Amino acid sequence: TDNAGSRTSVAANDGRMITDMAGRKVTLPPQIRKVYPVSPVEAILLYTVDPELLVGWSYHMASDEVSYILPQYRKLPVLGWISRGSTGNVEEVMKMAPDLILMVSEINKANIAVADELQELTKIPVVLLDNNMTKMDQTYLTAGKVLNREKQSSELAAYCQKTIEMIQGKKPRLAGRDPVTVYYAEGRRGLETEPRGSWHAEIIEFVGGRNVADSNLPGSGSVGRSPVSLEQVLTWDPSVILIGYFRDGESSSFPSIMSDKEWRDIRAVRDRRVYEIPTGPFNWFDRPPSVNRQIGIRWVANLLYPDVYPFDFRSEVKQFYSLFYHYELTDKDLD
């Protein structure tokens, strides 16, 4: 048994029997050449480990996002998602004949049931890995065993482990300080958000900030994007605003927030501490909340507490893109 809790042995049919991170025993073929990701979370993880494994993307990327993807993988087919309780795309998945179906999600009874049902329907091995942001090192180590890509996965795991340990090791230095308050602005007008407790905004609390959005907001849940009023944001009066937005026709709310007189009395706007979250090729903070958040953890930590979490933007981002995205950023890209 390794640190990821994954055991590998040879099965009678020359396949490999593994135990995934949910404790499910799964028999895999000897070689893994094609993997179907059930959502964008898995697609990104696969791309970071080995793009050759990826049978397709889970959504259409905008031109400024796809430009950071290696050219030979930019035109992979866009696949449908398989969501909890929905098997609408199962026939299409079976036509692709992948060696493996990958799920990266919360380890609970409901997701275990989804994995078991999908495996029974498709007769294709389904492996379930943990999506916990603080356990991505273990997820990568297990993925390396499953995919026969242990060298690359171990390097990615080491980066994730270092990131989490850096935050946890320095967090005690924040004791006695009032936490920096943060509003996560989503939607065309910046009036949708993610409440405390949502995995879509968990970086804020993890690095020692305070998400101003209450956990009992209407519409709170796994889907997120809870609507709020400007009056509510004024009452919260955050010190920092982080702006996220979808690329399917939705523009950033940054220009309107910074120019609209109704926002100008909010502390973050007054102090010009309003930041558009970097998105190419994948959002640093959320949507999808996959391994792309590892650079976001460092970025947000530095934005909120630069004295505690120093961040050499150019060298750190260049290293991350090279290691995770196989892309060598130019000085122009960094600019």
Side-chain angles (χ1 to χ4, degrees):
T1 302
D2 60 26
N3 291 333
S6 174
R7 292 168 298 203
T8 304
S9 60
V10 178
N13 62 354
D14 292 327
R16 296 178 297 128
M17 178 73 75
I18 64 100
T19 301
D20 70 12
M21 295 181 78
R24 300 168 58 256
K25 295 186 182 300
V26 183
T27 301
L28 304 177
Q31 297 296 322
I32 304 295
R33 297 182 179 87
K34 294 193 298 182
V35 181
Y36 177 87
V38 301
S39 81
V41 172
E42 295 81 10
I44 294 173
L45 184 139
L46 284 169
Y47 184 77
T48 63
V49 172
D50 184 354
E52 283 294 309
L53 294 171
L54 192 60
V55 296
W57 296 106
S58 301
Y59 63 105
H60 291 279
M61 281 181 275
S63 59
D64 58 341
E65 293 175 309
V66 79
S67 62
Y68 294 100
I69 297 294
L70 294 176
Q72 62 268 43
Y73 305 109
R74 293 175 186 175
K75 294 186 178 180
L76 289 175
V78 175
L79 314 171
W81 300 16
I82 297 180
S83 58
R84 180 184 295 178
S86 170
T87 56
N89 297 306
V90 168
E91 289 185 4
E92 292 302 315
V93 175
M94 295 173 69
K95 289 177 184 177
M96 296 175 194
D99 302 306
L100 172 70
I101 296 172
L102 185 65
M103 286 182 61
V104 181
S105 192
E106 183 180 357
I107 305 298
N108 57 33
K109 289 182 179 179
N111 287 329
I112 290 172
V114 170
D116 290 342
E117 179 186 9
L118 188 56
Q119 184 166 287
E120 178 63 27
L121 284 170
T122 62
K123 309 304 179 186
I124 298 168
V126 176
V127 170
L128 179 55
L129 303 180
D130 200 332
N131 72 351
N132 189 307
M133 187 175 69
T134 66
K135 296 180 180 178
M136 290 313 300
D137 59 332
Q138 298 177 43
T139 296
Y140 267 122
L141 291 173
T142 307
K145 293 278 189 183
V146 169
L147 303 170
N148 290 324
R149 304 295 193 278
E150 293 183 61
K151 182 179 184 297
Q152 171 71 352
S153 293
S154 65
E155 293 173 351
L156 300 171
Y159 184 98
C160 295
Q161 181 181 20
K162 184 179 177 181
T163 298
I164 300 304
E165 289 180 348
M166 180 268 290
I167 297 296
Q168 293 174 334
K170 293 185 176 184
K171 214 170 186 179
R173 293 171 55 182
L174 300 177
R177 297 191 191 188
D178 291 332
V180 176
T181 54
V182 182
Y183 172 65
Y184 176 28
E186 297 181 282
R188 288 177 175 82
R189 299 173 57 221
L191 293 176
E192 297 172 25
T193 194
E194 306 294 336
R196 286 191 292 273
S198 167
W199 75 326
H200 290 288
E202 63 183 325
I203 289 177
I204 296 169
E205 304 280 334
F206 180 66
V207 303
R210 176 69 170 170
N211 183 354
V212 296
D214 303 321
S215 57
N216 59 352
L217 279 178
S220 298
S222 60
V223 176
R225 289 179 64 112
S226 301
V228 296
S229 66
L230 182 56
E231 290 72 22
Q232 180 63 74
V233 182
L234 283 162
T235 300
W236 287 331
D237 195 27
S239 299
V240 169
I241 295 176
L242 299 177
I243 294 176
Y245 57 100
F246 289 144
R247 289 309 182 95
D248 53 352
E250 183 176 85
S251 58
S252 169
S253 60
F254 182 88
S256 61
I257 287 176
M258 295 305 293
S259 62
D260 193 327
K261 63 182 180 180
E262 293 182 330
W263 285 81
R264 69 177 55 162
D265 290 331
I266 296 173
R267 188 184 323 170
V269 178
R270 192 170 61 244
D271 295 342
R272 303 192 67 81
R273 298 192 69 190
V274 181
Y275 306 98
E276 219 173 49
I277 298 166
T279 58
F282 311 113
N283 190 291
W284 288 14
F285 185 84
D286 180 27
R287 301 199 185 278
S290 188
V291 295
N292 41 299
R293 295 188 295 174
Q294 292 295 314
I295 190 66
I297 291 171
R298 295 176 180 239
W299 177 66
V300 175
N302 174 260
L303 283 180
L304 304 189
Y305 304 106
D307 59 321
V308 176
Y309 302 112
F311 182 78
D312 183 340
F313 183 90
R314 299 183 80 89
S315 64
E316 191 69 46
V317 174
K318 203 166 189 177
Q319 177 195 359
F320 182 85
Y321 275 59
S322 177
L323 180 60
F324 282 77
Y325 301 149
H326 326 287
Y327 187 94
E328 300 304 322
L329 288 168
T330 66
D331 286 338
K332 184 179 179 181
D333 292 328
L334 288 165
D335 291 340

